Amino acid sequence: GREDREREIAGWPCARVEVADKPVLAARVLRWRSIPSRYVFVDAQADGEEWQLCFAVSQLSATALVDGALLRFTGTEEAARTRRGLRAWQCDRLVELTLCVPCDAAEAGGPAPPAPSEAALCKWFVRGACSTASCPFRHQFANEHEEATVRATRERWAAQRRAHEDAADPFAGGG
């Protein structure tokens, strides 16, 4: 029973195990940020995609995290994705935090550390055009959700501009 579960969770690699009738999920830390005294948000790699995890500060301290750390947790998936199109998880419990991959697990074919995350979307690309030849940001959409979000934002901006147009404004025509 419980003893077997604890051995499975402590062993490497661990798929989905159950603790108190909730599946234990595993993810690798890519980056994190915190709202002091409230929440720690972790962007992590799991199941071949990027997830956003939300922990209460009492469950996980941002100072305890390092890139590539393995988190095992229980949580509930949010109904809606984040603005970046990531699956979002409200985490109930941190089961285990492993700061490095055990050597024998890496040799046994355990999960490899995640590849560096893609660069962020270029804000000038979103606004219409980027004229910087060596821009370090992305000039393409990562997925349909990101493209739909940008399209909706552009439509909202256009509606705001139309709402504030003034026919008597001599500078409105750009001349």
Side-chain angles (χ1 to χ4, degrees), residues 100-130:
C100 63
V101 177
C103 297
D104 56 342
E107 292 168 7
S117 181
E118 283 188 14
L121 187 62
C122 176
K123 68 180 179 182
W124 297 109
F125 169 76
V126 169
R127 293 176 184 168
C130 179

Side-chain angles (χ1 to χ4, degrees), residues 33-55:
R33 61 209 163 282
S34 66
I35 299 175
S37 304
R38 294 207 177 241
Y39 302 107
V40 176
F41 293 96
V42 179
D43 291 342
Q45 184 87 22
D47 291 340
E49 63 180 336
E50 195 171 326
W51 291 355
Q52 184 178 74
L53 314 175
C54 178
F55 288 93

Side-chain angles (χ1 to χ4, degrees), residues 17-24 74-76 90 92:
V17 181
E18 294 199 3
V19 171
D21 300 327
K22 281 196 139 187
V24 174
T74 60
T76 307
Q90 181 65 43
D92 304 343

Side-chain angles (χ1 to χ4, degrees), residues 121-132 138-141 150-151 153-155 157 161:
L121 187 62
C122 176
K123 68 180 179 182
W124 297 109
F125 169 76
V126 169
R127 293 176 184 168
C130 179
S131 60
T132 308
R138 270 190 298 120
H139 294 107
Q140 59 194 15
F141 298 110
V150 169
R151 189 179 320 109
T153 303
R154 286 177 179 163
E155 289 170 4
W157 291 340
R161 280 193 304 273

Side-chain angles (χ1 to χ4, degrees), residues 37-121:
S37 304
R38 294 207 177 241
Y39 302 107
V40 176
F41 293 96
V42 179
D43 291 342
Q45 184 87 22
D47 291 340
E49 63 180 336
E50 195 171 326
W51 291 355
Q52 184 178 74
L53 314 175
C54 178
F55 288 93
V57 167
S58 61
Q59 297 168 330
L60 177 66
S61 169
T63 57
L65 291 171
V66 295
D67 288 342
L70 176 70
L71 293 171
R72 291 202 174 100
F73 61 94
T74 60
T76 307
E77 185 172 3
E78 298 288 331
R81 289 185 173 245
T82 67
R83 290 181 185 170
R84 295 187 308 150
L86 307 180
R87 290 173 64 186
W89 294 84
Q90 181 65 43
C91 301
D92 304 343
R93 178 177 172 206
L94 178 65
V95 176
E96 181 181 2
L97 171 61
T98 305
L99 298 179
C100 63
V101 177
C103 297
D104 56 342
E107 292 168 7
S117 181
E118 283 188 14
L121 187 62

